[in-house]
């Protein structure tokens, strides 16, 4: 129990309330004192010393006691020179920022480029190669002081280049990750300055600001409450305690940064910002690590297997070379000592391991993801978790909200019944007015309901940071901008319009004194209940002479509110009984509105509610059970929210891509069906149902209708969560204990097959253990569980609460459904780019390992020395990852069905391509190894001979990169090449670097300059990879249809060959002519 004198705090807050009214009257005097306040701001040290007394972590009682000694809330506000009614003056902001700092949280120190460079030497294989190079250097200098150092230095130089490139890639990766983290942390908060509510970036908050929060908002800094109504805060991020903490001005007026408001509304003074806040102190000691994505983990496993194969090849090559030296004793090894040959064999073996271990696989994923996430941000997709980027590409289901995602979330009241008078044109631009028959009393009741039963605000001018783009800003800059719930905003705009006489809702709210002790109470809108209530303290006296007259104002879904009304207000303000005929009439109106795709909202009230409950101590449960009945219906309004212009095409694109799109909304069934039909979601044979029916289904019954369930209306957040669980099985109860925890009081033995969502064993058996890949959109606080349960949670950047954003993987910055389609496209592009790189790298691996081993076994000196193989390693790892990992997405990716969760990374057409290219390259290298001296007139095994082989091999890789741009039967290596500047840059750099290595490498790389004819021939031999790429695609190998999932439509398919017959006519004769020219001339 808190030992602080609560009456003392109450007395101080009551004094504060009186001062609050005085401040309103003397606002002009406060403005005159602004300059003096700025000059007399306390020093930073004094502020830290004072605030630390009331901001000790986990010390609520001590903080409360110290707060009283400092003059309670009044004293702190005075100390910080904060005017509680008008907020800070703009003239003081810059000085406060310079004195006390901004609200930017400290970031963990990043590694310098040099530190990353040093870290690149931690790889054991690289360390072995360095050691071998040093031994080679020492032995070479001993045997031949003039030139013996060259090979060892060359290997060290090659390792140095690889390490520099690795450090550069890691540095760029870290820079990209930090940029995304910064964008993710960029949120807006509402503050009061110069007596105006404005929206600012979170890092622009300064000490002393008055900040407004409501359910779903993150607490941007440490603060002291000055108003609070039913405020609950999740402090688990700081304390680890899972239970929400109730906050009020008496027992616990402290709010902490990094926590989330889960219920209610509040205003507080910022008492500690940035690094001085509780979260800032903790974050200074944190270092955020970037987790690996599932694809990276899968590729790491593959890289490990390939590495083992490489080690086996290295060992076999070493043994073969030693066997040849000891047993075969060829002529070219007579002058080489056993130690020198063993050292060379060891270096070759280690180099094989370096080449074989595909470090480029995770690098390719990193580059592809970094490139894609940057591009996706331009497409209004902020990636919070990198895994979501690749996962979204193979989504099979998207469960979408209606409001704000499929529709514009630009709510307008277009018709309604006001005090029993129907009006069919209430839009602000129509310039109509409320029927003159409606009395002023009735009109005032409706306006009081609209103003008080709401937490939304209207800004007369849109804030640039609230909008998704500058284009939107130009479009809506002069319109009123809604902050908060858009439905409530539509009613406020109606109240301010000429139709209702230009009412000022702010005055009504101020008069109600929400959040103050003994002031009006608010129970915010709940998506679960589909309604909200306020208890407003009205002026006047009741029948007993008490000056505490309270009225309940209630707002919510039309049919739900109507069910709890026993009377209605007539145009003269009189209360009339709700007869069965009148109720049917109003039900027909609601149905009529819904069939026109209008959201129907009802307004009701109940006077003298203080006779039913004690408003000061009433809880939300008390209000729902005791007050929200026997109400009087005041108005029914129809609110239009037009379908977004891009939705129809976007939904159709998703369906072509094999993605099942479902609408899950809290709206009326008829409204939901009307919008779903317009959007193309509800099709012939599709099923729609309401949440009440959905909850009664058994798991087996739900599985039966899932292939047809397209619309779920009047759904609760729990319904959405259950639907997602049943689709993907991600959070399905796996044990009896987990099931009992999810269904307390129910019987496991008799009901486990009857209650949703079911249990894992039953779920897995019904679909062979492979679930759907589900993307879920959400914007509300209660959407958090469904967003977490989804494979990819997509929150709304404009309308979404902080809770929804924190629970999501991707933030849709413009709230548009078409942006979700772009996320699918980029996800598929990442997946395919990784496969392209994998196809390219495995080809190089097979050839490099095989030719080195064959030459060793056949008694030849390996044609590719350590430096050459390290260069090839650089080409296929870093260069290949840059070239193929940054390919832009092709629109035809959305004509393919998504892959199953368990689909292999390497499909049958890829194996065909790898083996065909590897066979050609191996055949070419063996041919050059045997016939090269005869064709080119050089000595067998000479530097000249091996340079020709090396050059031909590198050009094979250069041209095979063009082949690798396609992984299926489509042959178009030059397709959209102008859109791939990175690919072209890598190709040009590789050719230039190869020319430098060959022409100027000399003893360093063990190469010699080639003639123009030799360059021409070797490059043409490499170019033959292109026609080989065409021919191999004629081999009839199809991808396994069982590797695909998702919706089967006539338009979704596997890519097929196009134009093969025409290309055959031209490509084959040209290839034959080139081959004839090269071999026989």
């Amino acid at each position: 129990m808190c030992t602080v004198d609560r009456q003392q705090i109450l007395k101080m807050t009551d004094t504060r309330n009186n001062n609050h009214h005085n401040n309103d009257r003397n606002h002009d005097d406060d403005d005159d004192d602004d300059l003096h306040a700025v000059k007399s701001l306390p020093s930073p040290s004094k502020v830290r010393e004072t605030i630390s007394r009331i901001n000790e972590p986990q010390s609520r009682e001590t903080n409360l006691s110290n707060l009283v000694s400092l003059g309670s809330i009044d004293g702190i506000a005075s100390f910080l020179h904060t005017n509680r009614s008008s907020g800070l003056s703009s003239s003081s902001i810059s000085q406060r920022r310079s004195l006390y700092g901004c609200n930017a949280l400290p970031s963990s120190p990043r590694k310098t480029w040099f530190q990353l460079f040093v870290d690149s030497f931690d790889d054991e294989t690289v360390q072995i190669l360095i050691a071998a190079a040093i031994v080679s250097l020492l032995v070479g200098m001993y045997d031949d002081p003039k030139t013996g150092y060259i090979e060892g230095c060359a290997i060290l130089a090659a390792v140095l280049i690889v390490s520099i490139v690795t450090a550069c890639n890691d540095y760029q990766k870290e820079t990209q990750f930090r940029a995304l983290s910064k964008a993710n942390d960029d949120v807006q908060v509402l503050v009061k300055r110069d007596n105006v509510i404005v929206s600012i970036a979170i890092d622009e908050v300064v000490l002393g600001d008055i900040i407004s929060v409501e359910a779903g908002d993150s607490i941007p800094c440490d603060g002291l409450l000055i108003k609070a109504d039913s405020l609950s805060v999740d402090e688990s991020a700081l304390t680890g305690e899972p239970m929400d903490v109730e906050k009020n001005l008496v027992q616990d007026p402290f709010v902490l940064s990094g926590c989330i408001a889960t219920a209610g509304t509040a205003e507080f003074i910022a008492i500690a910002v940035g690094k001085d806040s509780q979260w800032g102190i903790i974050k200074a000691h944190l270092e955020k690590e970037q987790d690996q994505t599932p694809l990276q983990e899968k590729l790491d496993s593959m890289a490990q297997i390939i590495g083992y194969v490489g080690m086996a090849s290295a060992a076999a090559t070493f043994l073969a070379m030693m066997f040849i030296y000891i047993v075969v004793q060829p002529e070219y090894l007579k002058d080489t000592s056993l130690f020198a040959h063993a050292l060379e064999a060891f270096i070759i073996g280690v180099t094989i391991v370096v080449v074989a271990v595909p470090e480029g696989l995770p690098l390719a994923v990193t580059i592809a993801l970094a490139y894609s996430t940057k591009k996706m941000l331009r497409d209004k997709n902020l990636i919070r978790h990198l895994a979501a980027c690749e996962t979204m590409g193979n989504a099979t289901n998207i469960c979408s909200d209606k409001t704000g995602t499929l529709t514009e979330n630009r709510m307008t009241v277009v018709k309604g019944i006001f005090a029993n008078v129907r009006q069919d044109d209430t839009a602000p631009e129509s310039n109509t007015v409320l029927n003159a028959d409606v009395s002023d009393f009735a009109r005032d009741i409706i306006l009081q309901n609209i103003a008080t039963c709401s937490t939304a605000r209207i800004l007369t001018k849109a804030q640039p940071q609230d909008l998704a783009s500058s284009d939107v800003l130009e479009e809506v800059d002069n319109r009123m901008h809604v902050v908060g719930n858009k439905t409530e905003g539509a009613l406020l705009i109606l109240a301010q319009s000429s139709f209702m006489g230009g009412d000022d809702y702010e005055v009504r709210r101020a008069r109600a004194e929400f959040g103050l002790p003994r002031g009006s109470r608010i129970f915010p809108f709940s998506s679960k209940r589909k309604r909200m209530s306020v208890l407003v303290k009205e002026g006047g006296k009741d029948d007993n002479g008490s000056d505490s007259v309270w009225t309940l104002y209630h707002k919510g879904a039309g049919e739900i509110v109507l069910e709890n009304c026993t009377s209605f207000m007539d145009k003269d303000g009189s209360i009339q009984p709700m007869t069965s005929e009148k109720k049917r009439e109003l039900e027909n109106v609601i149905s009529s509105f819904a069939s026109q795709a209008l959201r129907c909202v009802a307004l009701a009230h109940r006077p003298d509610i203080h006779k039913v409950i004690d408003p000061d101590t009433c809880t939300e449960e008390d209000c729902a059970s005791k007050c929200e009945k026997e109400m009087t219906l005041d108005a029914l309004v129809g609110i239009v929210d037009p379908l977004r212009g891009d939705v129809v095409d976007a939904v159709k694109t998703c369906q072509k891509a094999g993605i099942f799109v479902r609408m899950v909304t809290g709206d009326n069934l008829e409204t939901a069906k009307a919008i779903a039909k317009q959007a193309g979601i509800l099709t012939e044979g599709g099923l729609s149902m309401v949440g009440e029916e959905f909850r009664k289904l058994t798991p087996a019954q739900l599985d039966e209708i899932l292939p047809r369930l397209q619309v779920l209306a009047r759904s609760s957040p729990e319904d959405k969560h259950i639907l997602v669980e049943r689709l993907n099985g991600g959070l399905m109860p796996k044990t009896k204990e987990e099931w009992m925890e999810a269904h307390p009081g129910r019987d496991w033995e008799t009901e486990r097959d009857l209650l949703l969502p079911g249990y894992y064993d039953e779920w897995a058996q019904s679909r062979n253990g492979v679930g759907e890949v589900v993307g879920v959109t959400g914007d509300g606080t209660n959407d958090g569980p469904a967003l977490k349960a989804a494979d990819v949670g997509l929150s709304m950047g404009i309308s979404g609460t902080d809770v929804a954003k924190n629970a999501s993987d991707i933030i849709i910055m413009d709230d548009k459904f078409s942006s979700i389609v772009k996320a699918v496209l980029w996800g598929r592009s990442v997946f395919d780019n990784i496969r392209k790189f994998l196809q390219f790298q495995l080809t190089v691996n097979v050839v490099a390992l095989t030719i080195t081993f064959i030459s060793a076994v056949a008694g030849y000196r390996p044609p590719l020395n350590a430096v050459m193989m390290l260069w090839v390693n650089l080409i296929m790892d870093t260069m290949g990852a840059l070239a193929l990992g940054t390919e832009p997405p092709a629109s035809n990716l959305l004509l393919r069905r998504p892959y199953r969760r368990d689909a292999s990374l390497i499909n049958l057409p890829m194996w065909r391509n790898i083996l065909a290219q590897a066979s050609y390259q191996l055949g070419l290298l063996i041919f050059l190894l045997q016939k090269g001296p005869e064709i080119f007139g050089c000595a067998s095994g000479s530097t000249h001979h091996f340079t020709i082989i090396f050059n031909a091999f590198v050009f094979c890789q250069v041209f095979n990169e063009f082949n690798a741009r396609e992984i299926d039967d489509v042959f178009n290596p030059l397709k959209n090449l102008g859109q791939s500047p990175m690919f072209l840059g890598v190709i040009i750099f590789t050719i230039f670097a190869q020319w430098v290595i060959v022409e100027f490498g000399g003893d360093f790389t063990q190469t010699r300059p080639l003639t123009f004819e030799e360059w021409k021939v070797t490059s043409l031999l490499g170019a033959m990879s292109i026609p080989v790429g065409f021919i191999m695609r004629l081999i009839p190998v199809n991808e396994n249809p069982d590797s695909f999932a998702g919706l089967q439509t006539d338009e979704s398919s596997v890519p097929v060959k196009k134009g093969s017959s025409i290309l055959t006519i031209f490509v084959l004769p040209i290839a034959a002519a080139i081959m004839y020219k090269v071999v026989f001339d």
Side-chain angles (χ1 to χ4, degrees):
M1 288 291 292
C2 179
T3 58
V4 179
D5 187 350
R6 297 178 185 172
Q7 293 302 320
Q8 189 175 357
I9 296 178
L10 272 174
K11 184 177 179 181
M12 289 183 175
T13 52
D14 284 340
T15 303
R16 193 275 317 272
N17 292 342
N18 294 329
N19 292 338
H20 169 76
H21 295 297
N22 292 334
N23 286 336
D24 285 341
R25 291 192 297 268
N26 299 323
H27 179 62
D28 293 337
D29 295 336
D30 293 332
D31 290 340
D32 295 336
D33 293 337
D34 281 341
L35 185 59
H36 173 72
V38 170
K39 290 181 179 179
S40 59
L41 287 173
S43 67
S45 59
K46 181 66 174 175
V47 167
R48 290 191 180 94
E49 178 187 349
T50 303
I51 296 302
S52 64
R53 296 178 59 192
I54 61 171
N55 200 29
E56 284 290 328
Q58 300 287 72
S59 305
R60 180 170 60 90
E61 292 189 11
T62 302
N63 292 339
L64 271 174
S65 178
N66 290 336
L67 177 62
V68 171
S69 67
L70 292 170
S72 193
I73 300 169
D74 261 343
I76 296 300
S78 176
F79 173 71
L80 296 176
H81 296 278
T82 297
N83 186 310
R84 294 185 308 279
S85 65
S86 61
L88 295 181
S89 168
S90 299
S91 60
S92 71
I93 301 302
S94 59
Q95 186 177 5
R96 287 175 183 269
R97 188 174 289 118
S98 62
L99 279 175
Y100 313 123
C102 61
N103 197 39
L105 293 175
S107 58
S108 56
R110 68 174 296 172
K111 288 187 176 181
T112 63
W113 182 91
F114 183 75
Q115 288 174 314
L116 293 172
F117 173 70
V118 173
D119 289 347
S120 68
F121 292 96
D122 288 342
D123 185 89
E124 290 182 5
T125 309
V126 172
Q127 292 171 355
I128 294 172
L129 191 59
I130 292 173
I134 293 173
V135 173
S136 174
L137 177 66
L138 296 175
V139 172
M141 292 179 66
Y142 177 79
D143 289 343
D144 185 1
K146 290 185 177 180
T147 60
Y149 68 90
I150 291 177
E151 183 173 7
C153 287
I155 297 172
L156 289 174
V159 170
L160 181 65
I161 292 171
V162 171
S163 297
I164 290 173
V165 171
T166 301
C168 290
N169 282 329
D170 288 344
Y171 190 82
Q172 183 182 18
K173 169 185 169 183
E174 176 68 10
T175 301
Q176 177 72 13
F177 178 66
R178 285 177 177 266
L180 289 174
S181 297
K182 183 179 179 182
N184 181 40
D185 293 338
D186 183 20
V187 298
Q188 301 295 308
V189 295
L190 292 178
V191 301
K192 183 181 286 188
R193 291 178 180 173
D194 299 320
N195 206 33
V196 177
I197 299 291
V198 293
S199 178
I200 64 172
I202 188 172
D203 56 3
E204 292 180 8
V205 172
V206 296
L207 195 76
D209 258 326
I210 292 181
I211 300 165
S212 299
V213 293
E214 60 181 35
D217 290 344
S218 290
I219 308 296
C221 59
D222 296 349
L224 184 64
L225 292 174
I226 59 174
K227 290 183 182 180
D229 198 330
S230 305
L231 181 67
S232 294
V233 176
D234 177 6
E235 295 186 344
S236 58
L238 287 180
T239 66
E241 295 297 327
M243 302 298 293
D244 291 347
V245 180
E246 292 185 7
K247 299 287 183 176
N248 55 58
L249 274 64
V250 178
Q251 295 172 311
D252 191 354
F254 308 104
V255 291
L256 303 175
S257 58
C259 302
I260 293 175
T262 55
T265 60
E267 285 186 2
F268 62 87
I269 302 174
I271 61 172
V273 298
K275 60 184 178 61
D276 295 325
S277 66
Q278 296 288 336
W279 180 237
I281 293 169
I282 292 174
K283 191 174 181 182
H285 302 292
L286 296 178
E287 184 167 354
K288 193 172 183 180
E289 294 287 342
Q290 184 176 354
D291 296 330
Q292 279 200 317
T293 71
L295 184 57
Q296 283 175 317
E297 292 172 357
K298 190 182 292 187
L299 286 171
D300 282 350
S301 300
M302 180 178 289
Q304 193 175 27
I305 295 172
I306 296 172
Y308 289 148
V309 173
M311 284 187 251
S313 300
T317 301
F318 176 81
L319 293 175
M321 290 180 70
M322 295 308 298
F323 177 83
I324 288 167
Y325 181 89
I326 296 171
V327 178
V328 180
Q329 298 180 351
E331 188 69 23
Y332 72 91
L333 290 176
K334 284 186 176 180
D335 296 331
T336 306
S337 66
L338 176 62
F339 178 76
H341 183 71
L343 179 62
E344 182 182 7
F346 179 72
I347 290 174
I348 290 291
V350 174
T351 307
I352 286 175
V353 174
V354 173
V355 174
V357 174
E359 303 95 336
L361 285 179
L363 176 64
V365 178
T366 300
I367 289 175
L369 288 174
Y371 172 79
S372 298
T373 50
K374 185 176 179 181
K375 295 291 187 182
M376 288 174 76
L377 191 56
R378 295 181 184 175
D379 283 341
K380 307 305 178 187
N381 286 270
L382 172 60
I383 308 300
R384 297 187 69 250
H385 302 127
L386 284 179
C389 183
E390 65 198 46
T391 306
M392 195 63 200
N394 288 318
T396 59
N397 276 250
I398 293 178
C399 299
S400 175
D401 271 343
K402 177 182 74 69
T403 304
T405 308
L406 299 172
T407 60
E408 292 183 359
N409 203 16
R410 191 179 296 167
M411 304 287 194
T412 305
V413 179
V414 293
K415 58 179 61 180
I417 296 176
F418 304 90
N420 203 28
V421 176
R422 177 156 184 163
Q423 295 205 223
D424 288 330
D425 192 3
T426 63
E429 58 270 18
S430 65
N431 293 320
T432 57
V433 295
L434 185 63
N435 193 300
D437 291 340
V438 177
S439 69
D440 290 343
F441 176 79
R443 174 179 164 277
D444 191 69
I445 290 286
I446 296 171
L447 288 173
Q448 184 76 343
N449 192 319
I450 292 174
T452 58
C453 197
S454 171
T455 58
R457 289 184 174 89
I458 304 296
L459 301 184
T460 54
K461 187 174 181 180
Q463 300 293 317
Q465 57 267 36
D466 292 331
L467 303 173
S469 71
S470 59
D471 294 336
V472 179
L473 178 61
E474 290 175 5
E475 179 186 341
V476 303
D477 190 46
N478 294 322
R479 293 204 311 258
M480 287 183 285
H481 178 58
V482 176
V483 177
N485 186 286
K486 299 300 186 287
T487 302
E488 294 177 4
L491 290 167
L492 292 177
I493 292 173
L494 177 72
Q496 289 183 334
S497 70
S498 58
F499 179 82
M500 297 296 287
D503 191 62
D504 188 344
Y505 73 91
E506 289 283 10
V507 172
R508 293 178 182 271
R509 285 189 188 174
R511 195 184 302 137
E513 297 183 345
F514 284 108
L516 298 178
R518 303 190 184 98
S520 297
R521 304 287 307 283
I522 184 168
F523 302 107
F525 179 81
S526 163
S527 57
K528 186 174 183 179
R529 299 194 323 119
K530 312 298 180 195
R531 45 191 167 155
M532 70 175 291
S533 290
V534 291
L535 306 179
V536 177
K537 185 178 180 182
E538 311 274 14
K541 299 180 181 296
D542 65 5
D543 298 337
N544 299 322
S546 171
D547 60 356
S548 297
V549 178
W550 294 77
T551 303
L552 167 81
Y553 291 101
H554 185 72
K555 177 180 85 259
E559 67 273 25
I560 296 177
V561 174
L562 179 60
E563 195 64 34
N564 293 297
C565 288
T566 55
S567 59
F568 66 92
M569 184 171 65
D570 213 343
K571 58 187 177 182
D572 59 358
S574 61
I575 307 302
Q576 304 297 329
M578 181 73 71
T579 63
S580 56
E581 292 79 7
K582 187 65 178 179
K583 189 172 183 179
R584 276 196 300 272
E585 176 191 333
L586 293 171
E587 286 173 346
N588 291 335
V589 171
I590 293 172
S591 298
S592 172
F593 284 179
S595 64
Q596 300 170 59
L598 300 180
R599 170 174 289 186
C600 186
V601 174
L603 308 179
H605 80 284
R606 183 178 177 182
D608 299 330
I609 204 68
H610 56 281
K611 297 179 181 178
V612 181
I613 46 91
D614 179 2
D616 286 327
T617 60
C618 176
T619 64
E620 185 172 0
E621 291 74 17
D622 292 336
C623 182
S625 61
K626 299 176 182 179
C627 304
E628 294 174 0
K629 57 185 179 180
E630 300 176 9
M631 295 184 293
T632 298
L633 183 70
D634 302 323
L636 276 176
V637 296
I639 302 177
V640 67
D641 186 12
L643 198 69
R644 288 189 183 274
D646 57 352
V647 162
V648 176
D649 290 339
V651 169
K652 189 175 182 181
T653 300
C654 280
Q655 292 166 343
K656 286 181 183 178
I659 301 172
F660 195 123
V661 181
R662 308 174 195 267
M663 177 195 289
V664 184
T665 178
D667 223 331
N668 179 286
L669 178 61
E670 294 301 322
T671 305
K673 287 168 62 176
I675 291 290
K677 286 179 180 178
Q678 291 179 25
I681 293 175
L682 185 59
T683 59
E684 186 176 352
L687 183 66
S688 58
M689 65 166 46
V690 295
E692 188 176 359
E693 297 173 2
F694 175 84
R695 292 170 217 131
K696 296 176 182 177
L697 298 174
T698 66
Q701 290 172 337
L702 178 55
D703 285 347
E704 185 179 343
I705 66 169
L706 274 179
R708 297 183 294 116
L709 181 60
Q710 295 173 338
V711 176
L712 183 59
R714 281 288 179 247
S715 64
S716 68
E718 183 62 23
D719 294 334
K720 185 187 288 190
H721 186 257
I722 289 173
L723 176 62
V724 174
E725 277 187 299
R726 195 65 199 172
L727 285 169
N728 68 4
L731 298 178
M732 193 72 65
K734 289 184 169 60
T735 64
K736 177 181 178 180
E737 290 72 22
E738 290 181 4
W739 189 92
M740 293 294 293
E741 184 179 350
H743 304 285
R746 308 307 289 261
D747 183 59
W748 160 261
E749 298 298 335
T750 59
E751 295 184 288
R752 60 184 174 184
D753 292 321
L754 302 178
L755 299 179
L756 290 173
Y759 58 99
Y760 185 79
D761 290 342
E762 166 268 330
W763 174 87
Q765 187 176 3
S766 66
R767 58 205 76 200
N768 298 321
V770 181
E772 305 286 344
V773 179
V774 184
V776 170
T777 70
D779 57 7
T781 301
N782 290 328
D783 289 324
L787 292 169
K788 281 290 187 184
D791 297 279
V792 181
L794 303 120
S795 64
M796 302 297 107
I798 298 174
S799 60
T801 64
D802 289 338
V803 171
K805 292 175 184 176
N806 290 334
S808 66
D809 305 294
I810 299 176
I811 298 176
I812 307 301
M813 305 296 287
D814 57 3
D815 288 14
K816 292 183 180 180
F817 191 84
S818 57
S819 295
I820 299 174
V821 177
K822 292 175 184 175
V824 173
L825 178 62
W826 278 107
R828 294 191 177 189
S829 177
V830 168
F831 189 77
D832 274 22
N833 285 351
I834 301 307
R835 288 181 131 191
K836 294 172 187 177
F837 173 75
L838 199 57
Q839 177 177 275
F840 170 71
Q841 189 178 51
L842 289 180
T843 302
V844 184
N845 268 5
V846 170
V847 176
L849 297 182
T850 306
I851 192 63
T852 304
F853 178 73
I854 290 177
S855 60
V857 171
Y860 291 95
R861 186 159 59 91
L864 303 177
N865 60 45
V867 177
M868 292 176 179
M869 292 186 73
L870 285 173
W871 168 235
V872 171
N873 184 61
L874 195 64
I875 292 175
M876 74 175 188
D877 271 3
T878 303
M879 297 294 104
L882 283 171
L884 297 172
T886 57
E887 286 273 271
S891 57
N892 63 357
L893 290 176
L894 294 176
L895 297 177
R896 182 185 75 200
R897 291 166 61 200
Y899 284 101
R900 287 167 55 95
R901 286 178 179 271
D902 54 352
S904 173
L905 280 175
I906 308 176
N907 59 27
L908 291 176
M910 287 174 66
W911 278 121
R912 175 200 63 193
N913 299 346
I914 291 167
L915 294 176
Q917 284 291 339
S919 298
Y920 166 71
Q921 293 182 21
L922 277 172
L924 173 64
L925 295 185
I926 292 172
F927 174 78
L928 291 177
L929 195 61
Q930 294 180 334
K931 301 295 183 181
E934 178 183 339
I935 295 174
F936 293 98
C938 58
S940 178
S942 65
T943 300
H944 186 189
H945 180 201
F946 287 165
T947 300
I948 290 171
I949 295 176
F950 171 56
N951 209 43
F953 180 55
V954 168
F955 272 99
C956 281
Q957 310 322 314
V958 169
F959 287 100
N960 191 37
E961 276 193 89
F962 286 90
N963 279 319
R965 297 182 72 223
E966 296 286 354
I967 55 178
D968 45 47
D969 287 340
V970 177
F971 179 73
N972 193 353
L974 303 181
K975 180 182 179 182
N976 297 328
L977 204 56
Q979 299 177 16
S980 303
M982 184 66 76
F983 182 90
L984 292 173
V986 166
I987 295 296
I988 293 170
F989 172 79
T990 303
I991 294 173
F992 174 75
Q994 177 68 11
W995 176 74
V996 171
I997 289 171
V998 169
E999 295 298 314
F1000 304 103
D1003 292 337
F1004 189 80
T1005 56
Q1006 297 180 25
T1007 58
R1008 57 151 287 177
L1010 300 179
T1011 65
F1012 175 76
E1013 191 66 24
E1014 289 167 341
W1015 273 100
K1016 183 178 72 173
V1017 171
T1018 52
S1019 60
L1020 285 174
L1021 288 172
M1024 288 300 296
S1025 293
I1026 298 290
V1028 169
F1030 169 74
I1031 295 169
M1032 71 187 183
R1033 285 178 167 86
L1034 299 177
I1035 302 172
V1037 176
N1038 296 318
E1039 190 159 8
N1040 184 2
D1042 293 336
S1043 63
F1044 292 97
L1047 191 65
Q1048 177 66 63
T1049 66
D1050 294 336
E1051 296 172 282
S1052 61
S1053 61
V1054 182
V1056 295
K1057 286 197 294 287
K1058 295 181 181 179
S1060 297
S1061 58
I1062 298 176
L1063 285 170
T1064 304
I1065 296 172
F1066 291 101
V1067 174
L1068 290 182
I1070 294 173
I1074 293 173
M1075 202 68 181
Y1076 178 86
K1077 177 75 175 174
V1078 168
V1079 175
F1080 295 103
D1081 285 1

